[in-house]
Amino acid sequence: MQKMTRVVLAVLAVAGTTAAMAQSSVTLYGRVNTTVERQKLGDVSTTGMFNNSSRFGFKGTEDLGGGLKAGFQLESGFNSDTGTGSGWTHPTTGMSFARQSEVNLSGGFGMVRLGNFMPESYYATADYVSMHNHNTGSSSDAFYQDPVWFNGLSTTNKIGYRSPSFGGLTIDASVNLHEQTTGGKNGYDLAANYNLGALALGAGYSQVDDDKQLGLRALYTFGQFVVGGYYQRNDENVAGSRNNFRLAGAYNVGASEFHVNVGRANSWSNRADSAATQFTLGYNYNLSKRTKVYTYYTRVNNDANATYGYGFNGTLAAGQASGKDFSSFAVGVRHNF
């Protein structure tokens, strides 16, 4: 009987330890993504090593019982080419969680999020079809524009909600609090994702005051092929309105991925000759599930009054004047952990 008692106590101790471990967990994750490139802006060429949005982070959940969970995510950017720190909206020489810093509560009602996190309208449209390098570095989508970022609210001071899945449909909504005593405007973001097997649909809307954008996305997988694209409409007070679209395709065979995408931003209605075209050809080779080597060529052709260049969300290449074209040939390594 005494021996039986010891066995039962040991089993209960192990069971209690397992339950405690299941109730709370923390994960370290990240990505190191570095390229060597030959870039050209107008008539000026540069050869160098470049960081492609490398990052690391911590995320975790705690089971509070009754179907309720608490969670958090902290994410920091760093420059993989120099080892220095790099924030998201506020680059810094030290470590920063400017990329993401949120706490959330989730359950059968969905998820409530507080803090600093990316607009889900971006993930539902432009990012979803950026398959070859996760929309990072010099081959980023140069045309996608979000009014929340453009108006200085960035990804911070947000209250967000994510719905449960309704037959493959999920909804995300958030508000950026401006936190200014006078003159500030809140930012609003809304996204929807609907998965129908091989067909994935998405939509995103964001607005700050009279500056707004609407995007629609579709992606279809058949066999070894993936094809998709998105459309975006922008309206703002100064530049007027603009239409922007991107088409993307991938062919996956064995460890190889072949990628192509082309985007077009039409002229702003109040800014003549401000249209531009971007195309990218890429090849990725998967050394493992977490590590790729890759190469690509990307080019942005600007009309006389267009200033699109390196980076998405309308980011200008350093020192770029209107009408200058940008191109880059890159070879890189990307490792996820």
Side-chain angles (χ1 to χ4, degrees):
M1 179 63 70
Q2 189 175 8
K3 184 176 181 181
M4 179 68 72
T5 301
R6 286 198 299 267
V7 172
V8 171
L9 290 174
V11 171
L12 290 174
V14 172
T17 302
T18 304
M21 291 177 64
Q23 289 175 359
S24 182
S25 64
V26 177
T27 301
L28 169 67
Y29 69 94
R31 179 175 73 202
V32 185
N33 193 4
T34 311
T35 52
V36 177
E37 302 186 28
R38 178 69 170 177
Q39 296 183 355
K40 187 176 182 180
L41 176 60
D43 296 326
V44 178
S45 296
T46 303
T47 300
M49 183 177 293
F50 297 89
N51 169 48
N52 289 245
S53 196
S54 298
R55 65 196 67 170
F56 73 93
F58 306 89
K59 58 184 176 181
T61 59
E62 180 185 14
D63 191 340
L64 302 174
L68 184 65
K69 293 182 179 180
F72 76 93
Q73 188 163 354
L74 303 173
E75 188 170 287
S76 178
F78 63 92
N79 295 309
S80 60
D81 53 335
T82 64
T84 58
S86 172
W88 178 239
T89 58
H90 311 289
T92 175
T93 56
M95 188 180 73
S96 162
F97 292 117
R99 286 193 60 90
Q100 188 166 355
S101 54
E102 73 164 274
V103 64
N104 56 67
L105 289 173
S106 61
F109 56 87
M111 178 185 289
V112 176
R113 310 169 69 188
L114 301 175
N116 164 45
F117 46 90
M118 289 282 288
E120 293 297 334
S121 58
Y122 162 70
Y123 283 130
T125 53
D127 183 77
Y128 206 102
V129 303
S130 299
M131 297 177 282
H132 76 285
N133 198 20
H134 300 295
N135 208 31
T136 65
S138 60
S139 64
S140 296
D141 183 343
F143 304 145
Y144 181 84
Q145 181 170 314
D146 185 291
V148 176
W149 285 333
F150 260 49
N151 283 275
L153 294 175
S154 185
T155 63
T156 61
N157 304 317
K158 296 177 75 171
I159 302 171
Y161 169 75
R162 175 174 295 162
S163 76
S165 177
F166 301 104
L169 173 67
T170 57
I171 304 294
D172 282 270
S174 66
V175 56
N176 291 72
L177 303 178
H178 62 80
E179 295 189 358
Q180 299 175 32
T181 55
T182 58
K185 300 291 184 180
N186 290 339
Y188 301 94
D189 189 78
L190 181 66
N193 288 278
Y194 189 31
N195 292 322
L196 296 166
L199 178 62
L201 303 175
Y205 177 84
S206 54
Q207 180 174 357
V208 179
D209 200 13
D210 293 329
D211 188 355
K212 51 187 176 291
Q213 70 86 21
L214 171 67
L216 302 171
R217 177 265 304 167
L219 195 75
Y220 185 70
T221 302
F222 55 102
Q224 295 168 298
F225 292 90
V226 183
V227 294
Y230 80 90
Y231 160 82
Q232 183 185 43
R233 171 76 174 186
N234 290 96
D235 290 284
E236 63 173 61
N237 284 331
V238 179
S241 60
R242 181 202 69 162
N243 295 312
N244 160 40
F245 72 88
R246 185 167 298 272
L247 301 175
Y251 174 61
N252 304 312
V253 53
S256 295
E257 305 172 13
F258 299 88
H259 295 271
V260 59
N261 71 71
V262 59
R264 172 72 178 178
N266 292 339
S267 289
W268 291 94
S269 58
N270 296 337
R271 188 184 302 157
D273 299 320
S274 57
T277 302
Q278 181 183 21
F279 70 87
T280 303
L281 298 174
Y283 171 74
N284 297 355
Y285 186 82
N286 294 281
L287 297 172
S288 70
K289 290 183 177 181
R290 297 186 299 167
T291 305
K292 294 182 180 184
V293 292
Y294 62 93
T295 184
Y296 64 78
Y297 176 78
T298 189
R299 182 176 179 86
V300 178
N301 294 324
N302 284 303
D303 283 359
N305 291 321
T307 54
Y308 298 103
Y310 189 147
F312 70 93
N313 203 31
T315 304
L316 304 184
Q320 183 172 354
S322 298
K324 288 187 177 181
D325 298 332
F326 173 81
S327 65
S328 181
F329 174 75
V331 177
V333 179
R334 181 169 68 246
H335 174 72
N336 296 322
F337 60 90

